[in-house]
Every structure is written in structure tokens, then in C-alpha cells.
mmCIF file of all heavy atoms in Angstrom:
data_model
loop_
_atom_site.group_PDB
_atom_site.id
_atom_site.type_symbol
_atom_site.label_atom_id
_atom_site.label_comp_id
_atom_site.label_asym_id
_atom_site.label_seq_id
_atom_site.Cartn_x
_atom_site.Cartn_y
_atom_site.Cartn_z
ATOM 1 N N GLY A 163 101.321 102.295 79.203
ATOM 2 C CA GLY A 163 102.329 101.255 79.322
ATOM 3 C C GLY A 163 102.138 100.471 80.601
ATOM 4 O O GLY A 163 101.425 100.901 81.524
ATOM 5 N N PHE A 164 102.764 99.326 80.679
ATOM 6 C CA PHE A 164 102.642 98.459 81.858
ATOM 7 C C PHE A 164 103.134 99.179 83.104
ATOM 8 O O PHE A 164 104.172 99.843 83.090
ATOM 9 C CB PHE A 164 103.438 97.172 81.647
ATOM 10 C CG PHE A 164 103.565 96.327 82.885
ATOM 11 C CD1 PHE A 164 102.488 95.580 83.328
ATOM 12 C CD2 PHE A 164 104.746 96.310 83.615
ATOM 13 C CE1 PHE A 164 102.587 94.804 84.476
ATOM 14 C CE2 PHE A 164 104.855 95.543 84.761
ATOM 15 C CZ PHE A 164 103.772 94.790 85.195
ATOM 16 N N HIS A 165 102.381 99.023 84.191
ATOM 17 C CA HIS A 165 102.788 99.614 85.471
ATOM 18 C C HIS A 165 103.039 98.550 86.539
ATOM 19 O O HIS A 165 104.088 98.529 87.166
ATOM 20 C CB HIS A 165 101.711 100.592 85.965
ATOM 21 C CG HIS A 165 102.042 101.226 87.281
ATOM 22 N ND1 HIS A 165 101.549 100.758 88.483
ATOM 23 C CD2 HIS A 165 102.841 102.285 87.587
ATOM 24 C CE1 HIS A 165 102.021 101.494 89.474
ATOM 25 N NE2 HIS A 165 102.797 102.433 88.961
ATOM 26 N N SER A 166 102.085 97.643 86.732
ATOM 27 C CA SER A 166 102.260 96.638 87.783
ATOM 28 C C SER A 166 101.290 95.483 87.559
ATOM 29 O O SER A 166 100.325 95.596 86.796
ATOM 30 C CB SER A 166 102.031 97.244 89.175
ATOM 31 O OG SER A 166 100.703 97.722 89.291
ATOM 32 N N ILE A 167 101.558 94.396 88.251
ATOM 33 C CA ILE A 167 100.686 93.229 88.193
ATOM 34 C C ILE A 167 100.470 92.722 89.610
ATOM 35 O O ILE A 167 101.384 92.752 90.443
ATOM 36 C CB ILE A 167 101.294 92.117 87.298
ATOM 37 C CG1 ILE A 167 100.330 90.932 87.178
ATOM 38 C CG2 ILE A 167 102.639 91.651 87.824
ATOM 39 C CD1 ILE A 167 100.773 89.903 86.144
ATOM 40 N N SER A 168 99.254 92.282 89.896
ATOM 41 C CA SER A 168 98.941 91.786 91.233
ATOM 42 C C SER A 168 97.882 90.699 91.123
ATOM 43 O O SER A 168 97.174 90.584 90.117
ATOM 44 C CB SER A 168 98.446 92.922 92.134
ATOM 45 O OG SER A 168 97.266 93.505 91.594
ATOM 46 N N LEU A 169 97.779 89.890 92.173
ATOM 47 C CA LEU A 169 96.746 88.853 92.208
ATOM 48 C C LEU A 169 95.372 89.497 92.336
ATOM 49 O O LEU A 169 95.188 90.480 93.060
ATOM 50 C CB LEU A 169 96.988 87.914 93.394
ATOM 51 C CG LEU A 169 98.171 86.957 93.275
ATOM 52 C CD1 LEU A 169 98.386 86.230 94.605
ATOM 53 C CD2 LEU A 169 97.947 85.956 92.153
ATOM 54 N N ASN A 170 94.416 88.956 91.610
ATOM 55 C CA ASN A 170 93.043 89.448 91.658
ATOM 56 C C ASN A 170 92.383 88.962 92.953
ATOM 57 O O ASN A 170 92.198 87.766 93.168
ATOM 58 C CB ASN A 170 92.270 88.943 90.439
ATOM 59 C CG ASN A 170 90.842 89.433 90.415
ATOM 60 O OD1 ASN A 170 90.471 90.345 91.169
ATOM 61 N ND2 ASN A 170 90.031 88.838 89.559
ATOM 62 N N LYS A 171 92.022 89.908 93.815
ATOM 63 C CA LYS A 171 91.437 89.550 95.112
ATOM 64 C C LYS A 171 90.069 88.891 94.970
ATOM 65 O O LYS A 171 89.618 88.188 95.875
ATOM 66 C CB LYS A 171 91.330 90.797 95.980
ATOM 67 C CG LYS A 171 92.680 91.397 96.348
ATOM 68 C CD LYS A 171 92.504 92.648 97.202
ATOM 69 C CE LYS A 171 93.858 93.247 97.553
ATOM 70 N NZ LYS A 171 93.724 94.488 98.372
ATOM 71 N N ASP A 172 89.422 89.121 93.843
ATOM 72 C CA ASP A 172 88.083 88.560 93.630
ATOM 73 C C ASP A 172 88.110 87.240 92.861
ATOM 74 O O ASP A 172 87.063 86.744 92.450
ATOM 75 C CB ASP A 172 87.210 89.561 92.871
ATOM 76 C CG ASP A 172 86.960 90.829 93.674
ATOM 77 O OD1 ASP A 172 86.823 90.721 94.896
ATOM 78 O OD2 ASP A 172 86.929 91.915 93.061
ATOM 79 N N PHE A 173 89.326 86.694 92.656
ATOM 80 C CA PHE A 173 89.417 85.427 91.917
ATOM 81 C C PHE A 173 88.646 84.329 92.660
ATOM 82 O O PHE A 173 88.827 84.108 93.860
ATOM 83 C CB PHE A 173 90.883 85.013 91.773
ATOM 84 C CG PHE A 173 91.065 83.689 91.085
ATOM 85 C CD1 PHE A 173 90.850 83.566 89.714
ATOM 86 C CD2 PHE A 173 91.430 82.556 91.798
ATOM 87 C CE1 PHE A 173 91.022 82.349 89.073
ATOM 88 C CE2 PHE A 173 91.601 81.337 91.164
ATOM 89 C CZ PHE A 173 91.389 81.242 89.794
ATOM 90 N N GLY A 174 87.762 83.645 91.917
ATOM 91 C CA GLY A 174 86.953 82.586 92.508
ATOM 92 C C GLY A 174 85.681 83.077 93.156
ATOM 93 O O GLY A 174 84.840 82.281 93.587
ATOM 94 N N ARG A 175 85.527 84.408 93.243
ATOM 95 C CA ARG A 175 84.321 84.983 93.842
ATOM 96 C C ARG A 175 83.628 85.883 92.818
ATOM 97 O O ARG A 175 83.472 87.083 93.011
ATOM 98 C CB ARG A 175 84.681 85.784 95.093
ATOM 99 C CG ARG A 175 85.215 84.916 96.234
ATOM 100 C CD ARG A 175 85.549 85.761 97.448
ATOM 101 N NE ARG A 175 86.630 86.683 97.170
ATOM 102 C CZ ARG A 175 87.131 87.549 98.065
ATOM 103 N NH1 ARG A 175 86.590 87.600 99.289
ATOM 104 N NH2 ARG A 175 88.120 88.344 97.742
ATOM 105 N N GLY A 176 83.260 85.258 91.720
ATOM 106 C CA GLY A 176 82.599 86.002 90.651
ATOM 107 C C GLY A 176 83.522 86.436 89.548
ATOM 108 O O GLY A 176 83.083 86.961 88.528
ATOM 109 N N SER A 177 84.827 86.242 89.728
ATOM 110 C CA SER A 177 85.802 86.609 88.702
ATOM 111 C C SER A 177 86.782 85.463 88.526
ATOM 112 O O SER A 177 87.282 84.891 89.513
ATOM 113 C CB SER A 177 86.548 87.887 89.099
ATOM 114 O OG SER A 177 87.587 88.153 88.166
ATOM 115 N N TRP A 178 87.067 85.133 87.272
ATOM 116 C CA TRP A 178 88.014 84.060 86.979
ATOM 117 C C TRP A 178 89.325 84.605 86.427
ATOM 118 O O TRP A 178 90.128 83.868 85.897
ATOM 119 C CB TRP A 178 87.389 83.055 86.004
ATOM 120 C CG TRP A 178 86.240 82.336 86.615
ATOM 121 C CD1 TRP A 178 84.919 82.559 86.419
ATOM 122 C CD2 TRP A 178 86.322 81.262 87.575
ATOM 123 N NE1 TRP A 178 84.150 81.710 87.179
ATOM 124 C CE2 TRP A 178 84.990 80.895 87.904
ATOM 125 C CE3 TRP A 178 87.370 80.590 88.193
ATOM 126 C CZ2 TRP A 178 84.697 79.889 88.816
ATOM 127 C CZ3 TRP A 178 87.078 79.588 89.097
ATOM 128 C CH2 TRP A 178 85.763 79.242 89.396
ATOM 129 N N LYS A 179 89.502 85.892 86.581
ATOM 130 C CA LYS A 179 90.763 86.511 86.169
ATOM 131 C C LYS A 179 91.748 86.418 87.323
ATOM 132 O O LYS A 179 91.521 86.989 88.392
ATOM 133 C CB LYS A 179 90.535 87.967 85.764
ATOM 134 C CG LYS A 179 91.755 88.651 85.198
ATOM 135 C CD LYS A 179 91.426 90.027 84.636
ATOM 136 C CE LYS A 179 90.961 90.961 85.729
ATOM 137 N NZ LYS A 179 90.828 92.357 85.262
ATOM 138 N N LEU A 180 92.836 85.684 87.141
ATOM 139 C CA LEU A 180 93.772 85.416 88.230
ATOM 140 C C LEU A 180 94.597 86.651 88.588
ATOM 141 O O LEU A 180 94.899 86.900 89.753
ATOM 142 C CB LEU A 180 94.707 84.261 87.840
ATOM 143 C CG LEU A 180 95.724 83.808 88.892
ATOM 144 C CD1 LEU A 180 95.026 83.375 90.173
ATOM 145 C CD2 LEU A 180 96.582 82.665 88.344
ATOM 146 N N PHE A 181 94.971 87.452 87.567
ATOM 147 C CA PHE A 181 95.834 88.601 87.814
ATOM 148 C C PHE A 181 95.152 89.892 87.363
ATOM 149 O O PHE A 181 94.356 89.900 86.419
ATOM 150 C CB PHE A 181 97.158 88.460 87.049
ATOM 151 C CG PHE A 181 98.002 87.302 87.508
ATOM 152 C CD1 PHE A 181 98.027 86.120 86.779
ATOM 153 C CD2 PHE A 181 98.773 87.400 88.650
ATOM 154 C CE1 PHE A 181 98.803 85.048 87.189
ATOM 155 C CE2 PHE A 181 99.558 86.336 89.075
ATOM 156 C CZ PHE A 181 99.572 85.159 88.345
ATOM 157 N N ASP A 182 95.488 90.959 88.050
ATOM 158 C CA ASP A 182 95.130 92.306 87.614
ATOM 159 C C ASP A 182 96.388 92.968 87.071
ATOM 160 O O ASP A 182 97.406 93.056 87.779
ATOM 161 C CB ASP A 182 94.587 93.137 88.782
ATOM 162 C CG ASP A 182 93.165 92.759 89.146
ATOM 163 O OD1 ASP A 182 92.400 92.443 88.221
ATOM 164 O OD2 ASP A 182 92.836 92.780 90.341
ATOM 165 N N VAL A 183 96.321 93.404 85.832
ATOM 166 C CA VAL A 183 97.451 94.095 85.214
ATOM 167 C C VAL A 183 97.075 95.564 85.066
ATOM 168 O O VAL A 183 96.052 95.888 84.454
ATOM 169 C CB VAL A 183 97.800 93.495 83.833
ATOM 170 C CG1 VAL A 183 99.002 94.214 83.227
ATOM 171 C CG2 VAL A 183 98.089 92.001 83.964
ATOM 172 N N LEU A 184 97.887 96.438 85.650
ATOM 173 C CA LEU A 184 97.607 97.866 85.631
ATOM 174 C C LEU A 184 98.477 98.563 84.590
ATOM 175 O O LEU A 184 99.673 98.282 84.479
ATOM 176 C CB LEU A 184 97.868 98.478 87.011
ATOM 177 C CG LEU A 184 97.033 97.921 88.174
ATOM 178 C CD1 LEU A 184 97.408 98.625 89.469
ATOM 179 C CD2 LEU A 184 95.543 98.062 87.892
ATOM 180 N N PHE A 185 97.858 99.462 83.830
ATOM 181 C CA PHE A 185 98.565 100.258 82.833
ATOM 182 C C PHE A 185 98.412 101.732 83.179
ATOM 183 O O PHE A 185 97.318 102.184 83.536
ATOM 184 C CB PHE A 185 98.010 99.989 81.429
ATOM 185 C CG PHE A 185 98.141 98.559 81.000
ATOM 186 C CD1 PHE A 185 97.093 97.655 81.174
ATOM 187 C CD2 PHE A 185 99.307 98.100 80.413
ATOM 188 C CE1 PHE A 185 97.210 96.338 80.780
ATOM 189 C CE2 PHE A 185 99.435 96.780 80.016
ATOM 190 C CZ PHE A 185 98.393 95.900 80.196
ATOM 191 N N HIS A 186 99.498 102.483 83.071
ATOM 192 C CA HIS A 186 99.473 103.906 83.350
ATOM 193 C C HIS A 186 99.836 104.688 82.097
ATOM 194 O O HIS A 186 100.586 104.200 81.243
ATOM 195 C CB HIS A 186 100.470 104.242 84.469
ATOM 196 C CG HIS A 186 99.938 103.956 85.839
ATOM 197 N ND1 HIS A 186 100.554 104.421 86.987
ATOM 198 C CD2 HIS A 186 98.844 103.268 86.260
ATOM 199 C CE1 HIS A 186 99.861 104.016 88.041
ATOM 200 N NE2 HIS A 186 98.838 103.310 87.626
#
């Protein structure tokens, strides 16, 4: 299930995923 969401630290540096969504 959903746990948390945060900004992707690697956005624009090889990754175009803006958010990281964590599931536990």
C-alpha cells in the first residue's frame, strides 16, 4: 500500500520521473 511520496532527487539528471512514490 501507499507509504509516502517525495521529489525525485535525480530529476533532470538522467531521470524524468518527478516524484518517487514508496509502497510498503
Side-chain angles (χ1 to χ4, degrees):
F164 170 76
H165 179 263
S166 62
I167 183 171
S168 60
L169 288 172
N170 181 13
K171 295 179 181 179
D172 295 324
F173 177 73
R175 293 180 296 180
S177 174
W178 294 102
K179 186 172 64 171
L180 182 58
F181 295 101
D182 284 324
V183 181
L184 300 180
F185 300 95
H186 279 193

